[in-house]
Every structure is written in C-alpha cells, then in structure tokens.
Amino acid sequence: MGNQLGGDFLVAGGSERTERESFGICNLGTRYESQDFTWHAVASWTWDAQDETCGICRMAFDGCCPDCKLPGDDCPLIWGACNHAFHLHCILKWVNSQTPQAHCPMCRREWQFKG
Amino acid sequence: MVDFARVQKELQECNRDFEVSGIKVIPKSDANLAHLLGTIPGPLGTPYEGGSFKIDITLPDGYPFEPPKMHFATKVWHPNISSQSGAICLDILKDQWSPALTLKTALLSVQALLSAPEPDDPQDAVVAQQYLRDYPTFMGTARYWTEAFAMTSSLGVEEKVQKLVEMGFPEALVKSTLVSVNGDENMALEKLCSG
C-alpha cells in the first residue's frame, strides 16, 4: 500500500508529495487513504503562416472564417503560389467571384493554389 | 450578405488612429452598418487643404468581395470627381478592388486622388478641360469650392438660422433642416433648395 501511494506521489510531484509523505510517516501503521490525482492535458497548435490574420475576413488564422464555428481542420488555411495564405473558404469565395482569372488579394499576382 | 464582423473591426481600427490619419468612418445610423459616412482631410499643399470632405459609403451585399460604393457628399472641384453628383473615378473602387483593401485604405486612396488629379481620365469633363487649358483658374475654383463647401463654419446656430431665413426659407423649416444635417449649413442649404 505504501509503495502504491509513493507511486502516485511521484506522478503528482510538487509540494503535495512532501505533505502527504509526512502525513504517511506520522501515521505509520495506520490506514492510508488513497487519493486519485486529476490530470489536465494541455496542448496548443497554431497555423504556420507569416501573418496572424486572414487578409480577406480579418479574423485570426488561428480562429476561423466568418462562416465557420470551429477553427482547425474544418476551416483550413490555403497557400497561393505567391505564398500568401488565406482561410480556404475566404479565398474560394474571392476566386469564384472573379472571372476569368482571380488575382491574389495581397499582391495581385494571378492566383494559383500552391501545389 | 455583408461581413459585418469585418466592418465592425474596420471601424474600430480606422477610428483608433484617427489622430494620425485624420480619416474617420462612422455609421449613418446605429441600426445599419451598410451605410457609412467617411471624412477625409484635404491634403496639404493642394487647393483642398484645410477642407474636411465627407464621403457617402454604401456597402454592397458582397462586401468585402465587391468594392464599397463611395461618392463625395461634400461638393468638390476635381477632374476625377463629378462636380454634380460627387461620383469618383478611381480604379480600386471598380475593377481593381481587392478584398485585402479596407474602408480606410480606400479613403486614403481617395485622399491621394485629391493630391494627384488624372485629367486625361476625367469623371467631370468641364473640370478636366479647365485643368488642362487654364490651370490658374482651375486652382482658384478648387480653392473657392473648398472654402465654400468643405470648411466647417464657425457660425453659431442662431447665425446659421438667420442666414438661411434671410435667403427666404421659413424659420421653422430652416431649424428642422439644420437639425437633420447636424448643423451643417451647406448641407442644410442644399436640402432646402432640393425640396
């Protein structure tokens, strides 16, 4: 039982460990109470674009375009041959509204999706 | 559908550096962000210097994929701006529009147009002819129009009312018209004359 508890403490770490250890020593031979530690996994992600906001909708790249609710794979970024990035949904609206040839909103080069 | 989230952001950003740019954009009414009023200062070293020019802005449904519709609400004497309707001849407001442009950058372009007339691609043929054939008269007229229409009058309300009443308009009508245009006596006069 003592070993198991130690294991938990190692995982949890920090000041909690010292406190519980002294508690354990003081109460040697008495019943240990086991305690579950809660884990909070935290991760972050970001799009690797030169700018922080989409030049079309002016929303953050790490946010989503005005038509979407969730950022990430559902509202991806897309790069042009000129290396300018936009929300896929934003640049599609622009490209579809321009006939016959759309130009990059930032540099006016003929718009080609980066292969 | 106009992207109002973007418009809202644009208004905040534009008005934040008003101190530097002198360019302001405000909604014509709180209820509708598709009708806006822009203000640009006349560029220094031009006959428009010292004037404050109001520009009426209407956002089409497709904004920002379509250019904003802009025309001068302040009368101005310039080869590329209609002296009658205020229509502006500027490529970025037509086929050269890009959704990366904003109301502020478009107004900056209009301001740049005031500094750099293109008489060979006129919107107002009469003004353009004058610019090409009699430049001193053009400068004089442009200056006079700036002073007459683009400079905020320092007159008090009572004096404005008196001035308009002296022109022959009924006092009650003068007062209500002045209120409706926020005290701008030139706009009030135009409104009184037109109906």
Side-chain angles (χ1 to χ4, degrees):
Chain A
M1 188 99 186
N3 278 342
Q4 201 184 331
L5 208 53
D8 284 346
F9 288 150
L10 276 176
V11 172
S15 59
E16 184 79 5
R17 179 182 178 184
T18 330
E19 210 174 79
R20 294 288 292 178
E21 255 178 1
S22 61
F23 169 80
I25 290 161
C26 292
N27 295 283
L28 209 61
T30 59
R31 191 168 65 89
Y32 281 101
E33 284 178 24
S34 91
Q35 186 177 341
D36 290 327
F37 290 89
T38 315
W39 279 84
H40 295 284
V42 178
S44 70
W45 63 273
T46 177
W47 288 103
D48 191 15
Q50 282 172 335
D51 283 320
E52 301 209 327
T53 52
C54 172
I56 297 179
C57 67
R58 307 257 148 200
M59 302 295 266
F61 275 141
D62 292 337
C64 53
C65 83
D67 293 336
C68 289
K69 293 218 157 49
L70 291 172
D73 290 339
D74 289 340
C75 189
L77 298 201
I78 192 88
W79 277 261
C82 54
N83 268 331
H84 287 116
F86 303 94
H87 287 121
L88 172 66
H89 301 147
C90 295
I91 193 68
L92 277 182
K93 270 196 213 167
W94 173 242
V95 169
N96 291 336
S97 73
Q98 298 301 103
T99 49
Q101 172 64 50
H103 295 263
C104 172
M106 304 301 276
C107 65
R108 297 188 192 277
R109 265 178 64 178
E110 287 195 357
W111 178 262
Q112 303 285 351
F113 288 99
K114 197 173 188 176
Chain B
M1 190 55 196
V2 182
D3 180 355
F4 286 116
R6 172 178 149 150
V7 178
Q8 195 82 57
K9 262 191 171 169
E10 280 195 45
L11 295 188
Q12 281 169 5
E13 274 167 31
C14 180
N15 295 332
R16 198 181 306 143
D17 48 31
F18 167 73
E19 295 294 325
V20 183
S21 67
I23 291 179
K24 195 159 63 181
V25 185
I26 50 165
K28 279 193 149 178
S29 75
D30 290 339
N32 188 357
L33 277 182
H35 291 103
L36 307 156
L37 193 68
T39 311
I40 56 173
L44 303 182
T46 71
Y48 312 104
E49 180 175 340
S52 174
F53 296 86
K54 297 208 179 333
I55 292 170
D56 192 279
I57 306 170
T58 306
L59 301 180
D61 274 355
Y63 185 82
F65 299 98
E66 289 170 40
K69 293 186 169 70
M70 294 190 175
H71 70 88
F72 273 81
T74 306
K75 285 172 84 69
V76 57
W77 192 255
H78 184 285
N80 307 104
I81 300 157
S82 166
S83 59
Q84 299 301 309
S85 68
I88 307 166
C89 178
L90 185 62
D91 58 356
I92 60 140
L93 294 178
K94 293 171 184 150
D95 56 329
Q96 291 301 304
W97 170 254
S98 150
L101 293 169
T102 62
L103 295 172
K104 185 190 166 188
T105 54
L107 286 171
L108 274 169
S109 298
V110 172
Q111 192 189 32
L113 181 68
L114 289 179
S115 305
E118 294 278 356
D120 295 326
D121 182 19
Q123 176 74 39
D124 191 307
V126 176
V127 184
Q129 289 262 319
Q130 193 188 58
Y131 183 98
L132 292 169
R133 292 184 183 166
D134 187 359
Y135 188 70
T137 307
F138 163 80
M139 290 294 275
T141 315
R143 184 66 203 157
Y144 174 74
W145 277 42
T146 301
E147 283 169 8
F149 305 117
M151 294 200 181
T152 330
S153 167
S154 53
L155 295 181
V157 180
E158 283 310 310
E159 288 160 300
K160 288 181 195 169
V161 172
Q162 198 191 343
K163 204 172 145 189
L164 290 166
V165 169
E166 279 170 9
M167 291 180 190
F169 299 106
E171 189 172 336
L173 184 62
V174 164
K175 282 183 174 166
S176 64
T177 310
L178 269 171
V179 169
S180 75
V181 294
N182 290 325
D184 185 322
E185 58 172 307
N186 289 315
M187 277 168 86
L189 178 58
E190 224 166 294
K191 226 175 155 177
L192 286 164
C193 290
S194 64

